[in-house]
Amino acid sequence: MNPKLIPLVVVAALLAAAGGGWWWYSGRERPSHDVLVLHGNVDIRQVELAFNAAGRIEEVQVHEGDRVERGQLLATLDTQRLRRAVQFAQAQLAAQRQVVARFRAGSRPEEISKAQADAETARVDAKNAARTAERLKALAAQRFIPQQQADDARAAADAAEARLKSAEEALRLVVLGPRKEDVAAAEATLAANEASLAIARRDLAEASLYAPQAGVIENRVLEPGDMASPQKAVFTLALAEPLWVRTYVSGPDLGKLHVGGSAAVRTDSYPDKRYRAWVGFISPTAEFTPKSVETQEVRTQLVYQVRVFVCAPRDELKLGMPATVEIALDQPVPTGGRGADPCKNGA
């Protein structure tokens, strides 16, 4: 190469490099002074699902990765013993209801008629015994019969009179019906039996495990045949809603954020999509920057946790996925605090 051309080649190379650098710098995304850019990770709520009763698992109907809806049956326990307990409680309740019905109905007309007949019979016997005693008393006074015979007749008359009083009192009790204390005791026993049946039915219902919210089965911990208890989780459920990006903001930028403010979220997995979002939580306390957070400041600086809730289709955002949050700083300050969820009202 001609030595005179070397300087020209060097200058041309430098100009080309400078032009390429300017093209790259002007074309790359630069943070705007009107937009606050934050970095964080997608977060969701997880629920440890367990039976509220102890027993052996009979059936598990879902697997890891399955999407479930609110109220969907997930697993059941062996319910043979619990069904028998419900039947026993139902029988006890039915029997006690009859006892209470008998007390409340009082004496039957037939029982009152029988008591009246018994009292009338006792009255006739007492009158006859009294007349017999008077006749024998007169005969004994004339010494036609022994005095002992007259005394026996008098004792028989007194006994007949006592039986008459007893029959009359029995008739009065039959007419009055059961004592109010007995009725109250029977009603209290009825209430206890109703409570026992409710408990038995509740125990039977708790042998079925349902999804409390829509979500995805993350872990299936126990299998059919395992012993379950309230302390042992059967599933880990990752809730479908809400979804949010957990990010952190430094002190100087804290005053630029407001709960309820709109935002946009982007991810590397879907670079062409911008998800509608809103600021749902700003921590009232500062903390040291977590090591996983990307900030331009030193990591020992105090920051505040922010949750930016995202409106995203199912299965696009995953737990722990890195995300970028963009918050316009020129938007009006929201009124009314957190406000309505824009993912539900379409705002």
Side-chain angles (χ1 to χ4, degrees):
M1 177 180 294
N2 191 340
K4 296 181 179 180
L5 298 179
I6 293 178
L8 296 177
V9 173
V10 172
V11 172
L14 292 175
L15 291 175
W22 172 254
W23 174 85
W24 174 83
Y25 180 79
S26 61
R28 76 182 184 93
E29 181 181 1
R30 299 188 305 276
S32 171
H33 294 293
D34 296 331
V35 176
L36 178 63
V37 178
L38 302 174
H39 302 277
N41 299 89
V42 175
D43 205 350
I44 59 176
R45 289 194 175 99
Q46 296 173 299
V47 181
E48 301 293 328
L49 301 181
F51 286 100
N52 197 28
R56 190 172 300 279
I57 297 178
E58 185 176 67
E59 185 180 9
V60 178
Q61 298 191 359
V62 294
H63 301 273
E64 292 174 337
D66 288 351
R67 178 170 291 278
V68 298
E69 300 299 330
R70 179 186 180 94
Q72 181 177 336
L73 180 63
L74 305 179
T76 57
L77 298 177
D78 181 8
T79 59
Q80 182 176 359
R81 176 183 58 83
L82 299 174
R83 290 197 302 268
R84 296 289 185 269
V86 170
Q87 294 173 354
F88 179 75
Q90 288 174 332
Q92 282 189 320
L93 179 60
Q96 188 59 30
R97 280 176 176 166
Q98 297 303 318
V99 173
V100 172
R102 185 178 74 245
F103 280 150
R104 289 174 178 173
S107 302
R108 293 177 294 176
E110 295 81 2
E111 293 174 334
I112 296 176
S113 298
K114 181 182 183 300
Q116 290 173 340
D118 291 342
E120 184 62 24
T121 300
R123 187 177 296 106
V124 172
D125 291 343
K127 185 182 294 185
N128 183 57
R131 285 197 299 264
T132 300
E134 289 298 327
R135 286 195 299 268
L136 294 181
K137 179 181 179 181
L139 292 175
Q142 298 176 7
R143 296 183 183 279
F144 291 121
I145 61 172
Q147 183 62 38
Q148 181 63 44
Q149 190 175 351
D151 293 341
D152 292 341
R154 184 70 263 169
D158 293 341
E161 184 66 25
R163 286 194 295 273
L164 173 60
K165 291 181 179 180
S166 176
E168 291 175 342
E169 290 299 322
L171 174 60
R172 191 173 68 87
L173 290 176
V174 171
V175 173
L176 289 175
R179 297 174 57 180
K180 61 180 182 180
E181 294 83 0
D182 294 337
V183 176
E187 291 175 342
T189 303
L190 177 63
N193 289 339
E194 289 175 343
S196 297
L197 177 59
I199 292 173
R201 285 175 172 168
R202 177 67 177 176
D203 291 341
L204 180 60
E206 289 178 344
S208 299
L209 183 61
Y210 297 91
Q213 298 289 340
V216 177
I217 299 299
E218 191 171 82
N219 292 314
R220 173 169 156 167
V221 183
L222 300 182
E223 299 294 332
D226 286 335
M227 290 299 297
S229 69
Q231 293 77 28
K232 297 172 65 176
V234 183
F235 303 101
T236 300
L237 177 65
L239 301 184
E241 293 180 350
L243 286 171
W244 70 85
V245 175
R246 186 191 303 271
T247 184
Y248 295 84
V249 62
S250 62
D253 292 330
L254 181 63
K256 303 175 183 178
L257 300 183
H258 304 279
V259 173
S262 61
V265 171
R266 293 184 294 103
T267 64
D268 295 337
S269 300
Y270 302 95
D272 297 332
K273 285 190 175 182
R274 290 169 58 88
Y275 300 102
R276 290 185 299 112
W278 54 289
V279 179
F281 169 79
I282 301 176
S283 175
T285 58
E287 57 185 288
F288 285 105
T289 308
K291 292 183 179 180
S292 61
V293 176
E294 302 176 13
T295 59
Q296 297 179 353
E297 292 80 5
V298 294
R299 296 191 178 277
T300 56
Q301 181 179 349
L302 291 176
V303 293
Y304 298 82
Q305 183 188 140
V306 177
R307 295 181 186 177
V308 179
F309 291 85
V310 188
C311 307
R314 289 184 174 182
D315 300 328
E316 288 192 359
L317 300 185
K318 307 293 186 180
L319 177 64
M321 178 183 290
T324 300
V325 178
E326 298 176 352
I327 303 175
L329 301 180
D330 56 353
Q331 60 181 297
V333 178
T335 59
R338 176 170 175 169
D341 187 347
C343 299
K344 296 181 179 180
N345 59 21

